[in-house]
Amino acid sequence: MTVIPQGRTEPSLTESEKSFRGLLQIKAFRNLWLAQILSQTAHNGIHYVELLMILQLTNSTGHTGLMVLAFTLPAVLFSAIAGIVVDRFPKRRILVGSNVLRIITALSYIVALQFFSGRFLLVWVYSVTFIASAIAQFFAPAEGATIPMLVGRKRLIVANSLFNLTITGSQVLGLLILFPFIIKIGDSWFGSGNGIQVSFALVAIMYAVASWLLAKLPPDPVLSHMSKTAAEDVESALQRSWRELRGGLSFVRNTPSIWVPMLNLSITATVAMILAVIAPKFADVILRVSKEDAIYIFAPAGIGMLGGTFLISRIGHLFSRENLSNGGLVLQGIVLSVLSLISFYWEGSTGMTAATMVLAFGLGLGFAFIGIPAQTMLQERSPHSVRGRVYSVQYLMANVLGIPPMLFVATLADRIGIPPVTMIVGLALLLLAVWTVWWSARHHPVIPQDELAELHETA
């Protein structure tokens, strides 16, 4: 590995290399990006449909909580073994295979709604949701590990900016626009209650088109020798998996320069979960508007994330990755602290609503500035041979850190109030930013030898 001098910026990029248009001229990357749009929109949309289906079947918030747990728990249970699979087998096959399996799970909901009812139907829905979420754990690290193989190191930050933009857009499209509209159209055209089945059919179609695009990706040459080794290996699959999992964890433990991006990505996911949990109550108690209006008041966060994504794609190469990501932590810490302070004085006022919308824009900027550089650092500082396992460890960390706050933060807010909870989160982010600056100064980033060779080829 080669040490990158602290504070060194990236090699100069041409205008084409800094633009999304130039990136999308790479056919393989364009196919991956289009497949991401379809897969992510379907993935977010099906969560909306699942929650609505459970509400219609049970009219119970408790069952809704079980559904949330069903599609979040697999990330904790399967992300580590998913990384092993991603590192051992061709990523193209994993991407295509996982989407094909998700087609089957989407269609199974339609079958269940036609032929089952009562408790058996609920068990089926929870089980299929759990299985579909487990399959998604294999898709995500394979996709993340494929990006640098298609675009090279110099274009990573631009590629990650585009993928981050796509994730944000697909969340808005799937959760707020497309699938709510499809359900209404389905109910209108095919009768009340049939919109959900139409939505599941659309999800299956979107996954099918994405699978066709992914099948056109180039083969993964890095793992050709590993498949042969796996076929000749006489150890049991469980022993191999455990050994390789320990190898992935060992790489992370022995590579201090990768800790900052892993922690920053995990923390930003946790903050997003916390905000999603407290936003409706914040709208109700602090802003004194309906809980349903929370999505509009916090919508500027999405605009801020989009703006930050575009900004980083244009100027991100001028700054070190650590400074960008740590700057995002500081921004979010300040925004949440200010939001907490003004909540004590402007509660229920029009000014409080306006200030919240402005501060939400800052939160979105922070998400972009934390996430894009951190993801780029994670890709740059892990060699191809273990990158899938590194991603899985990161996903595991994000969910281990994120699920407990998601489940308990509402109770904490009931006990001590929303403003104190917001202040605690803001101060924690500021303290984390101080730690990451100190840690980055002590542990200089490194480039694996395979990435260094690629950099020389593309320079």
Side-chain angles (χ1 to χ4, degrees), residues 60-73:
S60 167
T61 55
H63 281 283
T64 302
L66 288 176
M67 176 60 78
V68 173
L69 191 61
F71 58 67
T72 55
L73 186 59

Side-chain angles (χ1 to χ4, degrees), residues 202-213:
L202 177 61
V203 167
I205 293 172
M206 294 173 74
Y207 280 137
V209 176
S211 299
W212 174 72
L213 290 168

Side-chain angles (χ1 to χ4, degrees), residues 399-427:
N399 284 279
V400 167
L401 291 177
I403 288 179
M406 180 187 68
L407 295 176
F408 299 115
V409 74
T411 302
L412 183 62
D414 288 336
R415 292 181 178 274
I416 66 175
I418 293 178
V421 169
T422 307
M423 178 63 75
I424 290 171
V425 176
L427 294 178

Side-chain angles (χ1 to χ4, degrees), residues 108-119:
S108 74
Y109 286 119
I110 300 176
V111 175
L113 288 171
Q114 289 289 334
F115 296 102
F116 304 143
S117 62
R119 182 174 297 180

Side-chain angles (χ1 to χ4, degrees), residues 357-369:
M357 295 180 74
V358 173
L359 291 171
F361 179 83
L363 282 175
L365 280 176
F367 279 124
F369 273 80

Side-chain angles (χ1 to χ4, degrees), residues 107-425:
L107 294 176
S108 74
Y109 286 119
I110 300 176
V111 175
L113 288 171
Q114 289 289 334
F115 296 102
F116 304 143
S117 62
R119 182 174 297 180
F120 187 81
L121 175 59
L122 289 178
V123 171
W124 179 278
V125 169
Y126 289 135
S127 300
V128 172
T129 300
F130 182 89
I131 292 170
S133 182
I135 294 169
Q137 305 314 309
F138 293 83
F139 185 90
E143 182 184 61
T146 299
I147 295 173
M149 298 193 322
L150 299 180
V151 303
R153 183 176 180 275
K154 288 176 64 178
R155 287 180 165 179
L156 262 183
I157 195 164
V158 182
N160 285 332
S161 296
L162 181 57
F163 265 67
N164 191 75
L165 174 63
T166 306
I167 289 172
T168 303
S170 66
Q171 288 173 337
V172 174
L173 181 61
L175 289 169
L176 304 180
I177 301 175
L178 180 59
F179 282 88
F181 176 75
I182 291 298
I183 288 175
K184 289 183 180 180
I185 291 296
D187 287 341
S188 175
W189 289 1
F190 301 102
S192 179
N194 290 318
I196 286 180
Q197 298 185 47
V198 172
S199 297
F200 284 129
L202 177 61
V203 167
I205 293 172
M206 294 173 74
Y207 280 137
V209 176
S211 299
W212 174 72
L213 290 168
L214 293 168
K216 300 169 69 175
L217 294 178
D220 182 358
V222 176
L223 298 179
S224 59
H225 67 285
M226 296 185 69
S227 298
K228 182 178 179 180
T229 301
E232 295 174 351
D233 201 338
V234 297
E235 294 179 308
S236 70
L238 182 60
Q239 288 174 321
R240 293 197 307 270
S241 298
W242 174 243
R243 187 187 70 245
E244 294 189 11
L245 174 59
R246 289 196 309 174
L249 291 171
S250 177
F251 174 82
V252 172
R253 185 175 62 251
N254 295 318
T255 311
S257 65
I258 212 172
W259 293 9
V260 166
M262 291 193 69
L263 184 60
N264 284 8
L265 284 171
S266 301
I267 291 300
T268 194
T270 301
V271 171
M273 289 183 185
I274 291 174
L275 293 177
V277 169
I278 68 174
K281 189 169 183 178
F282 186 92
D284 183 28
V285 176
I286 304 299
L287 303 180
R288 296 178 186 171
V289 298
S290 67
K291 295 179 180 179
E292 291 76 15
D293 289 338
I295 190 169
Y296 303 108
I297 294 171
F298 288 97
I303 300 174
M305 186 178 292
L306 295 178
T309 298
F310 277 115
L311 187 61
I312 291 175
S313 71
R314 304 302 296 178
I315 67 170
H317 62 283
L318 300 176
F319 304 92
S320 70
R321 315 289 199 224
E322 288 86 357
N323 287 342
L324 286 172
S325 193
N326 293 341
L329 286 174
V330 172
L331 176 59
Q332 285 199 333
I334 292 174
V335 165
L336 291 175
S337 299
V338 170
L339 185 63
S340 174
L341 289 174
I342 65 175
S343 298
F344 288 107
Y345 302 103
W346 291 0
E347 182 179 322
S349 67
T350 302
M352 182 66 204
T353 300
T356 300
M357 295 180 74
V358 173
L359 291 171
F361 179 83
L363 282 175
L365 280 176
F367 279 124
F369 273 80
I370 295 169
I372 297 172
Q375 184 179 13
T376 303
M377 286 188 283
L378 201 63
Q379 291 170 334
E380 289 175 335
R381 299 172 189 181
S382 56
H384 292 310
S385 59
V386 297
R387 187 173 288 144
R389 278 167 283 182
V390 170
Y391 264 95
S392 290
V393 172
Q394 190 276 310
Y395 294 144
L396 178 62
M397 179 187 298
N399 284 279
V400 167
L401 291 177
I403 288 179
M406 180 187 68
L407 295 176
F408 299 115
V409 74
T411 302
L412 183 62
D414 288 336
R415 292 181 178 274
I416 66 175
I418 293 178
V421 169
T422 307
M423 178 63 75
I424 290 171
V425 176

